[in-house]
Amino acid sequence: MGITIGIIIAYLLGSLSTAILVSKLLRLPDPRTTGSKNPGATNVLRSGGKTAAIITLIGDVGKGWLPVFVALQLDLFPGWAIGLIGLAAFLGHVFPVFYRFQGGKGVATALGVMLAISPLVGGLVLLTWLVVAAIWRYSSLAALVAAGMAPVYMVLLGMDHWISAAVALMSVILFIRHDSNIRRLMRGEESRIGQKDKAPA
Ligand code: G3P
């Protein structure tokens, strides 16, 4: 019962799109209609600038972090349930019930989940993103490398098998959600961080 409620709350929280809400509040273009059309911090940076992007980032990280952090603090749930709660928050962002299941790519929310599971794993994933982004200036490439490394960090640090499996599944879904980015990266057409033009859907 408690596990089901935790999963539902995490999914509903994940379904709240910070990018759409922040853009509405700040009277910015709907991120689903501009740039890459992705409701995420990278695209809000294109459509609304740094402040709106930072708020979006914090909101999207927070909604992944909060349910997992609370579930861990309650100390009531086994590892597999923690994994499912994190996965639910992530899936809420990717397939949100409030937006006809048309959501984002899940990068920031996955980071929030991982920071709650283990600040060390989350920190390593964030560091990976930052290093790749600093070198190549592609948000998507940084996300793909960080997502690829996340399950590796989980295993190397001896994290719970079920939670590691949930993180690996998030990485697979994140890769699938970046299919258009991968194609643009291969064609050399991906827009760099902060670049306002192109990034067609
Ligand atoms: O966080 C999403 C990022 O990896 C790619 O975003 O807008 O360039 O598709 P975008």
Side-chain angles (χ1 to χ4, degrees):
M1 183 67 178
I3 293 174
T4 311
I5 291 173
I7 289 170
I8 292 171
I9 291 174
Y11 173 73
L12 292 175
L13 196 60
S15 288
L16 294 171
S17 172
T18 319
I20 297 171
L21 296 173
V22 165
S23 298
K24 259 192 194 139
L25 275 172
L26 300 180
R27 296 170 196 275
L28 298 168
D30 186 324
R32 293 168 298 179
T33 63
T34 61
S36 67
K37 302 191 170 48
N38 183 53
T42 304
N43 204 30
V44 169
L45 181 64
R46 294 184 191 105
S47 62
K50 272 187 197 157
T51 305
I54 289 169
I55 300 170
T56 301
L57 182 65
I58 292 170
D60 282 351
V61 170
K63 73 185 187 182
W65 176 82
L66 188 64
V68 176
F69 179 77
V70 171
L72 285 168
Q73 292 304 308
L74 289 174
D75 206 13
L76 293 171
F77 304 117
W80 62 264
I82 299 292
L84 284 182
I85 288 170
L87 198 56
F90 172 80
L91 289 175
H93 180 83
V94 177
F95 304 109
V97 67
F98 305 127
Y99 305 98
R100 299 174 185 196
F101 304 101
Q102 309 281 311
K105 296 174 183 173
V107 179
T109 306
L111 175 64
V113 169
M114 285 183 275
L115 282 168
I117 290 168
S118 158
L120 179 56
V121 171
L124 285 170
V125 169
L126 177 60
L127 186 65
T128 306
W129 191 99
L130 288 170
V131 168
V132 177
I135 297 172
W136 287 286
R137 312 291 304 160
Y138 293 121
S139 176
S140 56
L141 182 66
L144 289 164
V145 176
M149 290 306 294
V152 177
Y153 295 144
M154 292 289 292
V155 171
L156 287 180
L157 291 169
M159 304 298 292
D160 178 277
H161 292 342
W162 287 107
I163 304 181
S164 301
V167 166
L169 185 55
M170 284 196 293
S171 294
V172 170
I173 296 169
L174 193 144
F175 263 76
I176 294 169
R177 297 294 285 184
H178 280 76
D179 62 334
S180 54
N181 301 87
I182 293 168
R183 273 186 264 117
R184 285 198 295 272
L185 282 165
M186 294 200 310
R187 290 198 302 261
E189 291 174 2
E190 180 70 311
S191 58
R192 296 188 191 260
I193 294 170
Q195 190 181 328
K196 285 195 197 298
D197 60 347
K198 55 182 187 179

